[in-house]
Each structure stands twice: as C-alpha cells, then as structure tokens.
PDB file of all heavy atoms in Angstrom:
ATOM      1  N   ALA A   1      -6.013  54.991 -42.656  1.00  0.00           N
ATOM      2  CA  ALA A   1      -6.391  54.766 -41.254  1.00  0.00           C
ATOM      3  C   ALA A   1      -5.977  53.358 -40.825  1.00  0.00           C
ATOM      4  O   ALA A   1      -6.161  53.005 -39.577  1.00  0.00           O
ATOM      5  CB  ALA A   1      -7.867  55.008 -41.036  1.00  0.00           C
ATOM      6  N   GLY A   2      -5.516  52.485 -41.734  1.00  0.00           N
ATOM      7  CA  GLY A   2      -5.130  51.129 -41.350  1.00  0.00           C
ATOM      8  C   GLY A   2      -6.248  50.137 -41.404  1.00  0.00           C
ATOM      9  O   GLY A   2      -6.062  48.997 -40.917  1.00  0.00           O
ATOM     10  N   ASP A   3      -7.450  50.574 -41.849  1.00  0.00           N
ATOM     11  CA  ASP A   3      -8.585  49.600 -42.022  1.00  0.00           C
ATOM     12  C   ASP A   3      -8.458  48.947 -43.347  1.00  0.00           C
ATOM     13  O   ASP A   3      -9.150  49.299 -44.328  1.00  0.00           O
ATOM     14  CB  ASP A   3      -9.925  50.416 -41.882  1.00  0.00           C
ATOM     15  CG  ASP A   3     -11.146  49.454 -41.913  1.00  0.00           C
ATOM     16  OD1 ASP A   3     -10.926  48.227 -42.109  1.00  0.00           O
ATOM     17  OD2 ASP A   3     -12.260  49.883 -41.861  1.00  0.00           O
ATOM     18  N   HIS A   4      -7.673  47.826 -43.400  1.00  0.00           N
ATOM     19  CA  HIS A   4      -7.415  47.260 -44.713  1.00  0.00           C
ATOM     20  C   HIS A   4      -8.525  46.443 -45.254  1.00  0.00           C
ATOM     21  O   HIS A   4      -8.650  46.349 -46.457  1.00  0.00           O
ATOM     22  CB  HIS A   4      -6.068  46.372 -44.619  1.00  0.00           C
ATOM     23  CG  HIS A   4      -4.877  47.149 -44.172  1.00  0.00           C
ATOM     24  ND1 HIS A   4      -4.348  48.156 -45.051  1.00  0.00           N
ATOM     25  CD2 HIS A   4      -4.023  47.134 -43.068  1.00  0.00           C
ATOM     26  CE1 HIS A   4      -3.349  48.665 -44.516  1.00  0.00           C
ATOM     27  NE2 HIS A   4      -3.059  47.996 -43.339  1.00  0.00           N
ATOM     28  N   MET A   5      -9.349  45.885 -44.457  1.00  0.00           N
ATOM     29  CA  MET A   5     -10.560  45.165 -44.949  1.00  0.00           C
ATOM     30  C   MET A   5     -11.513  46.099 -45.466  1.00  0.00           C
ATOM     31  O   MET A   5     -12.103  45.972 -46.639  1.00  0.00           O
ATOM     32  CB  MET A   5     -11.112  44.283 -43.873  1.00  0.00           C
ATOM     33  CG  MET A   5     -10.378  42.991 -43.527  1.00  0.00           C
ATOM     34  SD  MET A   5     -10.210  41.991 -44.973  1.00  0.00           S
ATOM     35  CE  MET A   5     -11.941  41.498 -45.293  1.00  0.00           C
ATOM     36  N   GLY A   6     -11.802  47.271 -44.780  1.00  0.00           N
ATOM     37  CA  GLY A   6     -12.608  48.223 -45.265  1.00  0.00           C
ATOM     38  C   GLY A   6     -12.110  48.907 -46.548  1.00  0.00           C
ATOM     39  O   GLY A   6     -12.917  49.227 -47.369  1.00  0.00           O
ATOM     40  N   ALA A   7     -10.814  49.141 -46.508  1.00  0.00           N
ATOM     41  CA  ALA A   7     -10.213  49.781 -47.665  1.00  0.00           C
ATOM     42  C   ALA A   7     -10.268  48.827 -48.923  1.00  0.00           C
ATOM     43  O   ALA A   7     -10.465  49.290 -50.015  1.00  0.00           O
ATOM     44  CB  ALA A   7      -8.765  50.122 -47.403  1.00  0.00           C
ATOM     45  N   GLY A   8     -10.156  47.514 -48.696  1.00  0.00           N
ATOM     46  CA  GLY A   8     -10.227  46.607 -49.787  1.00  0.00           C
ATOM     47  C   GLY A   8     -11.590  46.625 -50.497  1.00  0.00           C
ATOM     48  O   GLY A   8     -11.726  46.663 -51.666  1.00  0.00           O
ATOM     49  N   GLU A   9     -12.652  46.560 -49.611  1.00  0.00           N
ATOM     50  CA  GLU A   9     -13.993  46.662 -50.069  1.00  0.00           C
ATOM     51  C   GLU A   9     -14.196  48.027 -50.873  1.00  0.00           C
ATOM     52  O   GLU A   9     -14.773  48.008 -51.981  1.00  0.00           O
ATOM     53  CB  GLU A   9     -14.952  46.591 -48.973  1.00  0.00           C
ATOM     54  CG  GLU A   9     -16.420  46.662 -49.401  1.00  0.00           C
ATOM     55  CD  GLU A   9     -17.419  46.650 -48.299  1.00  0.00           C
ATOM     56  OE1 GLU A   9     -17.243  47.486 -47.331  1.00  0.00           O
ATOM     57  OE2 GLU A   9     -18.262  45.806 -48.260  1.00  0.00           O
ATOM     58  N   ALA A  10     -13.781  49.180 -50.223  1.00  0.00           N
ATOM     59  CA  ALA A  10     -14.125  50.470 -50.898  1.00  0.00           C
ATOM     60  C   ALA A  10     -13.211  50.653 -52.110  1.00  0.00           C
ATOM     61  O   ALA A  10     -13.751  51.149 -53.079  1.00  0.00           O
ATOM     62  CB  ALA A  10     -13.717  51.540 -49.862  1.00  0.00           C
ATOM     63  N   ALA A  11     -12.020  50.090 -52.042  1.00  0.00           N
ATOM     64  CA  ALA A  11     -11.138  50.225 -53.285  1.00  0.00           C
ATOM     65  C   ALA A  11     -11.702  49.434 -54.432  1.00  0.00           C
ATOM     66  O   ALA A  11     -11.613  49.980 -55.662  1.00  0.00           O
ATOM     67  CB  ALA A  11      -9.713  49.788 -52.988  1.00  0.00           C
ATOM     68  N   ASN A  12     -12.238  48.265 -54.238  1.00  0.00           N
ATOM     69  CA  ASN A  12     -12.886  47.468 -55.353  1.00  0.00           C
ATOM     70  C   ASN A  12     -14.132  48.219 -55.776  1.00  0.00           C
ATOM     71  O   ASN A  12     -14.380  48.286 -57.021  1.00  0.00           O
ATOM     72  CB  ASN A  12     -13.235  46.066 -54.787  1.00  0.00           C
ATOM     73  CG  ASN A  12     -12.048  45.122 -55.000  1.00  0.00           C
ATOM     74  OD1 ASN A  12     -11.655  44.761 -56.009  1.00  0.00           O
ATOM     75  ND2 ASN A  12     -11.461  44.870 -53.784  1.00  0.00           N
ATOM     76  N   MET A  13     -14.953  48.772 -54.898  1.00  0.00           N
ATOM     77  CA  MET A  13     -16.042  49.506 -55.343  1.00  0.00           C
ATOM     78  C   MET A  13     -15.720  50.787 -56.184  1.00  0.00           C
ATOM     79  O   MET A  13     -16.378  51.076 -57.151  1.00  0.00           O
ATOM     80  CB  MET A  13     -16.921  49.971 -54.094  1.00  0.00           C
ATOM     81  CG  MET A  13     -17.622  48.828 -53.372  1.00  0.00           C
ATOM     82  SD  MET A  13     -18.522  49.501 -51.972  1.00  0.00           S
ATOM     83  CE  MET A  13     -19.336  47.985 -51.350  1.00  0.00           C
ATOM     84  N   ALA A  14     -14.661  51.436 -55.682  1.00  0.00           N
ATOM     85  CA  ALA A  14     -14.208  52.651 -56.415  1.00  0.00           C
ATOM     86  C   ALA A  14     -13.765  52.277 -57.760  1.00  0.00           C
ATOM     87  O   ALA A  14     -14.089  53.017 -58.804  1.00  0.00           O
ATOM     88  CB  ALA A  14     -13.164  53.338 -55.582  1.00  0.00           C
ATOM     89  N   LYS A  15     -12.972  51.271 -57.883  1.00  0.00           N
ATOM     90  CA  LYS A  15     -12.466  50.799 -59.165  1.00  0.00           C
ATOM     91  C   LYS A  15     -13.627  50.478 -60.140  1.00  0.00           C
ATOM     92  O   LYS A  15     -13.588  50.733 -61.299  1.00  0.00           O
ATOM     93  CB  LYS A  15     -11.436  49.674 -58.938  1.00  0.00           C
ATOM     94  CG  LYS A  15     -10.618  49.356 -60.238  1.00  0.00           C
ATOM     95  CD  LYS A  15     -11.352  48.317 -61.106  1.00  0.00           C
ATOM     96  CE  LYS A  15     -10.566  48.238 -62.461  1.00  0.00           C
ATOM     97  NZ  LYS A  15     -11.360  47.393 -63.385  1.00  0.00           N
ATOM     98  N   TYR A  16     -14.600  49.669 -59.561  1.00  0.00           N
ATOM     99  CA  TYR A  16     -15.729  49.267 -60.452  1.00  0.00           C
ATOM    100  C   TYR A  16     -16.494  50.521 -60.905  1.00  0.00           C
ATOM    101  O   TYR A  16     -16.751  50.603 -62.140  1.00  0.00           O
ATOM    102  CB  TYR A  16     -16.675  48.412 -59.628  1.00  0.00           C
ATOM    103  CG  TYR A  16     -17.928  48.014 -60.410  1.00  0.00           C
ATOM    104  CD1 TYR A  16     -17.997  46.864 -61.082  1.00  0.00           C
ATOM    105  CD2 TYR A  16     -19.067  48.887 -60.312  1.00  0.00           C
ATOM    106  CE1 TYR A  16     -19.202  46.529 -61.817  1.00  0.00           C
ATOM    107  CE2 TYR A  16     -20.264  48.547 -60.945  1.00  0.00           C
ATOM    108  CZ  TYR A  16     -20.268  47.412 -61.749  1.00  0.00           C
ATOM    109  OH  TYR A  16     -21.388  47.135 -62.460  1.00  0.00           O
ATOM    110  N   ALA A  17     -16.797  51.448 -59.986  1.00  0.00           N
ATOM    111  CA  ALA A  17     -17.614  52.627 -60.349  1.00  0.00           C
ATOM    112  C   ALA A  17     -16.801  53.415 -61.334  1.00  0.00           C
ATOM    113  O   ALA A  17     -17.428  54.004 -62.287  1.00  0.00           O
ATOM    114  CB  ALA A  17     -17.839  53.410 -59.092  1.00  0.00           C
ATOM    115  N   ALA A  18     -15.467  53.614 -61.175  1.00  0.00           N
ATOM    116  CA  ALA A  18     -14.740  54.507 -62.042  1.00  0.00           C
ATOM    117  C   ALA A  18     -14.606  53.777 -63.394  1.00  0.00           C
ATOM    118  O   ALA A  18     -14.633  54.538 -64.462  1.00  0.00           O
ATOM    119  CB  ALA A  18     -13.358  54.707 -61.481  1.00  0.00           C
ATOM    120  N   GLY A  19     -14.430  52.431 -63.525  1.00  0.00           N
ATOM    121  CA  GLY A  19     -14.458  51.787 -64.767  1.00  0.00           C
ATOM    122  C   GLY A  19     -15.709  51.973 -65.635  1.00  0.00           C
ATOM    123  O   GLY A  19     -15.676  52.133 -66.780  1.00  0.00           O
ATOM    124  N   GLU A  20     -16.874  51.928 -64.881  1.00  0.00           N
ATOM    125  CA  GLU A  20     -18.164  52.141 -65.527  1.00  0.00           C
ATOM    126  C   GLU A  20     -18.216  53.581 -66.004  1.00  0.00           C
ATOM    127  O   GLU A  20     -18.725  53.784 -67.193  1.00  0.00           O
ATOM    128  CB  GLU A  20     -19.259  51.774 -64.589  1.00  0.00           C
ATOM    129  CG  GLU A  20     -19.331  50.268 -64.197  1.00  0.00           C
ATOM    130  CD  GLU A  20     -19.422  49.349 -65.396  1.00  0.00           C
ATOM    131  OE1 GLU A  20     -20.460  49.373 -66.104  1.00  0.00           O
ATOM    132  OE2 GLU A  20     -18.529  48.570 -65.652  1.00  0.00           O
ATOM    133  N   VAL A  21     -17.972  54.517 -65.151  1.00  0.00           N
ATOM    134  CA  VAL A  21     -18.163  55.915 -65.613  1.00  0.00           C
ATOM    135  C   VAL A  21     -17.244  56.400 -66.727  1.00  0.00           C
ATOM    136  O   VAL A  21     -17.707  57.186 -67.488  1.00  0.00           O
ATOM    137  CB  VAL A  21     -18.170  56.756 -64.329  1.00  0.00           C
ATOM    138  CG1 VAL A  21     -16.773  57.023 -63.861  1.00  0.00           C
ATOM    139  CG2 VAL A  21     -18.750  58.189 -64.731  1.00  0.00           C
ATOM    140  N   VAL A  22     -16.017  55.882 -66.786  1.00  0.00           N
ATOM    141  CA  VAL A  22     -15.193  56.383 -67.763  1.00  0.00           C
ATOM    142  C   VAL A  22     -15.654  55.845 -69.088  1.00  0.00           C
ATOM    143  O   VAL A  22     -15.577  56.557 -70.158  1.00  0.00           O
ATOM    144  CB  VAL A  22     -13.712  56.022 -67.491  1.00  0.00           C
ATOM    145  CG1 VAL A  22     -13.443  54.589 -67.639  1.00  0.00           C
ATOM    146  CG2 VAL A  22     -12.820  56.769 -68.397  1.00  0.00           C
ATOM    147  N   CYS A  23     -16.142  54.633 -69.250  1.00  0.00           N
ATOM    148  CA  CYS A  23     -16.640  54.067 -70.440  1.00  0.00           C
ATOM    149  C   CYS A  23     -17.869  54.830 -70.898  1.00  0.00           C
ATOM    150  O   CYS A  23     -18.023  55.208 -72.064  1.00  0.00           O
ATOM    151  CB  CYS A  23     -16.995  52.597 -70.301  1.00  0.00           C
ATOM    152  SG  CYS A  23     -15.541  51.442 -70.165  1.00  0.00           S
ATOM    153  N   ASN A  24     -18.827  55.067 -69.932  1.00  0.00           N
ATOM    154  CA  ASN A  24     -19.992  55.823 -70.196  1.00  0.00           C
ATOM    155  C   ASN A  24     -19.697  57.251 -70.601  1.00  0.00           C
ATOM    156  O   ASN A  24     -20.229  57.882 -71.541  1.00  0.00           O
ATOM    157  CB  ASN A  24     -20.884  55.926 -68.968  1.00  0.00           C
ATOM    158  CG  ASN A  24     -21.519  54.515 -68.695  1.00  0.00           C
ATOM    159  OD1 ASN A  24     -21.663  53.628 -69.578  1.00  0.00           O
ATOM    160  ND2 ASN A  24     -21.890  54.306 -67.468  1.00  0.00           N
ATOM    161  N   ALA A  25     -18.730  57.911 -69.917  1.00  0.00           N
ATOM    162  CA  ALA A  25     -18.392  59.245 -70.249  1.00  0.00           C
ATOM    163  C   ALA A  25     -17.836  59.413 -71.696  1.00  0.00           C
ATOM    164  O   ALA A  25     -18.178  60.374 -72.359  1.00  0.00           O
ATOM    165  CB  ALA A  25     -17.326  59.737 -69.200  1.00  0.00           C
ATOM    166  N   VAL A  26     -16.929  58.560 -71.995  1.00  0.00           N
ATOM    167  CA  VAL A  26     -16.379  58.659 -73.380  1.00  0.00           C
ATOM    168  C   VAL A  26     -17.376  58.364 -74.363  1.00  0.00           C
ATOM    169  O   VAL A  26     -17.510  59.067 -75.424  1.00  0.00           O
ATOM    170  CB  VAL A  26     -15.160  57.760 -73.539  1.00  0.00           C
ATOM    171  CG1 VAL A  26     -14.645  57.703 -74.933  1.00  0.00           C
ATOM    172  CG2 VAL A  26     -14.005  58.241 -72.598  1.00  0.00           C
ATOM    173  N   ASP A  27     -18.228  57.381 -74.186  1.00  0.00           N
ATOM    174  CA  ASP A  27     -19.258  57.016 -75.132  1.00  0.00           C
ATOM    175  C   ASP A  27     -20.240  58.196 -75.318  1.00  0.00           C
ATOM    176  O   ASP A  27     -20.642  58.479 -76.452  1.00  0.00           O
ATOM    177  CB  ASP A  27     -19.953  55.780 -74.644  1.00  0.00           C
ATOM    178  CG  ASP A  27     -21.060  55.326 -75.586  1.00  0.00           C
ATOM    179  OD1 ASP A  27     -20.715  54.810 -76.707  1.00  0.00           O
ATOM    180  OD2 ASP A  27     -22.353  55.447 -75.351  1.00  0.00           O
ATOM    181  N   ARG A  28     -20.705  58.754 -74.186  1.00  0.00           N
ATOM    182  CA  ARG A  28     -21.615  59.901 -74.222  1.00  0.00           C
ATOM    183  C   ARG A  28     -20.958  61.147 -74.936  1.00  0.00           C
ATOM    184  O   ARG A  28     -21.667  61.901 -75.644  1.00  0.00           O
ATOM    185  CB  ARG A  28     -22.157  60.192 -72.857  1.00  0.00           C
ATOM    186  CG  ARG A  28     -23.029  59.174 -72.304  1.00  0.00           C
ATOM    187  CD  ARG A  28     -23.205  59.278 -70.829  1.00  0.00           C
ATOM    188  NE  ARG A  28     -23.980  58.187 -70.139  1.00  0.00           N
ATOM    189  CZ  ARG A  28     -24.091  57.888 -68.933  1.00  0.00           C
ATOM    190  NH1 ARG A  28     -23.436  58.747 -68.025  1.00  0.00           N
ATOM    191  NH2 ARG A  28     -24.880  56.932 -68.468  1.00  0.00           N
ATOM    192  N   ALA A  29     -19.731  61.328 -74.579  1.00  0.00           N
ATOM    193  CA  ALA A  29     -19.037  62.442 -75.242  1.00  0.00           C
ATOM    194  C   ALA A  29     -18.951  62.346 -76.804  1.00  0.00           C
ATOM    195  O   ALA A  29     -19.134  63.268 -77.526  1.00  0.00           O
ATOM    196  CB  ALA A  29     -17.672  62.597 -74.705  1.00  0.00           C
ATOM    197  N   ILE A  30     -18.669  61.103 -77.213  1.00  0.00           N
ATOM    198  CA  ILE A  30     -18.602  60.816 -78.717  1.00  0.00           C
ATOM    199  C   ILE A  30     -19.995  60.991 -79.269  1.00  0.00           C
ATOM    200  O   ILE A  30     -20.121  61.691 -80.249  1.00  0.00           O
ATOM    201  CB  ILE A  30     -18.207  59.360 -78.930  1.00  0.00           C
ATOM    202  CG1 ILE A  30     -16.626  59.288 -78.628  1.00  0.00           C
ATOM    203  CG2 ILE A  30     -18.338  58.994 -80.401  1.00  0.00           C
ATOM    204  CD1 ILE A  30     -16.046  57.936 -78.757  1.00  0.00           C
ATOM    205  N   GLN A  31     -21.103  60.566 -78.564  1.00  0.00           N
ATOM    206  CA  GLN A  31     -22.379  60.795 -79.120  1.00  0.00           C
ATOM    207  C   GLN A  31     -22.771  62.193 -79.215  1.00  0.00           C
ATOM    208  O   GLN A  31     -23.448  62.632 -80.105  1.00  0.00           O
ATOM    209  CB  GLN A  31     -23.385  60.001 -78.195  1.00  0.00           C
ATOM    210  CG  GLN A  31     -24.793  59.716 -78.839  1.00  0.00           C
ATOM    211  CD  GLN A  31     -24.711  58.839 -80.016  1.00  0.00           C
ATOM    212  OE1 GLN A  31     -23.758  58.057 -80.211  1.00  0.00           O
ATOM    213  NE2 GLN A  31     -25.681  58.909 -80.970  1.00  0.00           N
ATOM    214  N   THR A  32     -22.354  62.977 -78.231  1.00  0.00           N
ATOM    215  CA  THR A  32     -22.614  64.437 -78.214  1.00  0.00           C
ATOM    216  C   THR A  32     -22.056  65.101 -79.430  1.00  0.00           C
ATOM    217  O   THR A  32     -22.662  66.018 -79.984  1.00  0.00           O
ATOM    218  CB  THR A  32     -21.985  65.033 -76.891  1.00  0.00           C
ATOM    219  OG1 THR A  32     -22.657  64.424 -75.778  1.00  0.00           O
ATOM    220  CG2 THR A  32     -22.283  66.589 -76.875  1.00  0.00           C
ATOM    221  N   HIS A  33     -20.833  64.547 -79.776  1.00  0.00           N
ATOM    222  CA  HIS A  33     -20.152  65.216 -80.931  1.00  0.00           C
ATOM    223  C   HIS A  33     -20.703  64.697 -82.303  1.00  0.00           C
ATOM    224  O   HIS A  33     -20.365  65.220 -83.431  1.00  0.00           O
ATOM    225  CB  HIS A  33     -18.700  64.946 -80.901  1.00  0.00           C
ATOM    226  CG  HIS A  33     -18.010  65.867 -79.858  1.00  0.00           C
ATOM    227  ND1 HIS A  33     -18.098  65.610 -78.561  1.00  0.00           N
ATOM    228  CD2 HIS A  33     -17.083  66.691 -80.103  1.00  0.00           C
ATOM    229  CE1 HIS A  33     -17.292  66.508 -77.932  1.00  0.00           C
ATOM    230  NE2 HIS A  33     -16.715  67.146 -78.851  1.00  0.00           N
TER     231      HIS A  33
END
C-alpha cells in the first residue's frame, strides 16, 4: 500500500516474532521426540 513507515515497523515485528517461534518450535519438537 506504500506505507513504508508502517511496513517497516510491522516487518521488524514479524521478523522478531518469527525468529522466536521457529526457535521455540524446533526446541519443542525435539523435546516431544
């Protein structure tokens, strides 16, 4: 939509959230096994 400031904030949040969840997901998957 061309909202680069809003996109910058949301993209950083998305990257943070995804980085946390992938580490947690793999760790929990290993623990499950």
Side-chain angles (χ1 to χ4, degrees):
D3 183 356
H4 295 299
M5 285 302 296
E9 180 185 53
N12 275 287
M13 289 180 177
K15 193 272 171 188
Y16 176 91
E20 294 302 294
V21 71
V22 70
C23 288
N24 291 336
V26 174
D27 183 70
R28 292 165 184 165
I30 290 173
Q31 196 68 22
T32 299
H33 284 70

